[in-house]
Amino acid sequence: MNTKSPVPSVPVPSASAFLPGDPSISKEGIPLLDIKDLKVSFPDENGTVKPIYRVDLTVKANETLGLIGESGSGKSILGLSILRLLPGDAEVGGKILFKGQDLLSMPSTELRKIRGREIGMVFQNPAASLDPIFTVGGQLSEATRVHFAFDKNAVKARVLGLLDRVSIKDPALRFGQYPHELSGGMKQRVMIATGIASEPSLIIADEPTRGLDVTVKRRIISLMQKISRDTAMLLVTHDLEVAEQLCDRVAVMYAGEIVEIAGCEEFFKAPLHPFSEGLLNSLPSRGMHAIPGTSPSLIDLPSGCRFYPRCRYSMDICRTRHPELVPVDNAVDGAVNGDMNAFFDAGRLVRCFLYA
Ligand SMILES: Nc1ncnc2c1ncn2[C@@H]1O[C@H](COP(=O)(O)OP(=O)(O)O)[C@@H](O)[C@H]1O
Ligand code: SF4
Ligand SMILES: [Mg+2]
């Protein structure tokens, strides 16, 4: 079934509004998502928890950017902060520009038009996110009605199309069923259908394969691959296998900071930051060598490199000085030679004194 057949009543600003030659830049010269100097903190009885510290990140139109790292490094907080979905006590600083507009400072009424409409969310844990007292069709119809003023029959046709698009067999049967009647994999497909219901130009997916068995995980990866052909995606995952199969670029988080940004292929071939190297070495296919130690407390962060106590390459400078996220040499060379496109294409950034 063609999900695009019913015509939305509101014009959809789509990713195709962005120039094909340079997918990061729109016709107006604006990146799709541009996170600038993002800081998030929470007051705590023991001090201030700082899960995000000075994060700069860009998602280009039509690309899939993977946000990877250990559990507790701030990935979900970053994803939630984009749509201002953090708890009320969170203090958020910086800018999050979506098509040039700052999501953090715009009025809530404006943000509501973007949330779920131009930016779709696929949350982790579908069992908790789907409402047990509403049918699958009811929940998806609601998500569809909120964004498009279709009549009842058109909404149903659109929802059946969505279920078909996420490869749920027998959509008419599933339409009338409740979440508990669905398998884990099917629930996750319904969550994905909710995320894409409005044909957003950006999807934020947080651990979309967590808790799924290997076979179901493979199917969800293949579904996400299909969806990512039309939509930009910020994929939050601790699962490197998922990132490798889905992403165009990866950004590695460690203790609230980005420590490396690289093209996916070059990253998996040759990670540069020592933490990235440790992450890859902990994969079963690479010997399962766990990184010794634990990440620092987000209340009492060290003044030097945050990875210092766990790093096998640490030097004296790393203990006292905090490294910046800087382009690695080959990218800088490209820029110095006047080829700014080479600089952006290479776009490899590392926060480590080994490369500074
Ligand atoms: N509401 C909150 N108050 C205080 N700390 C929080 C809150 N929510 C999350 N954190 C802390 O922020 C850190 C990052 O969390 P999160 O983004 O969920 O990590 P992950 O990378 O696993 O997604 C964790 O250490 C977590 O304990
Ligand atoms: S800055 Fe130093 S301690 Fe930090 S990752 Fe690089 S080498 Fe290791
Ligand atoms: Mg998380």
Side-chain angles (χ1 to χ4, degrees), residues 202-216:
L202 173 67
I203 293 174
I204 302 169
D206 192 346
E207 305 282 4
T209 57
R210 177 169 284 207
L212 302 177
D213 70 42
V214 180
T215 318
V216 181

Side-chain angles (χ1 to χ4, degrees), residues 273-275 305 307-308 311 313-315 318 323 351-354:
H273 194 281
F275 172 66
C305 172
F307 191 57
Y308 173 77
C311 181
Y313 305 103
S314 65
M315 304 167 278
C318 314
R351 187 186 293 281
C352 174
F353 287 120
L354 291 173

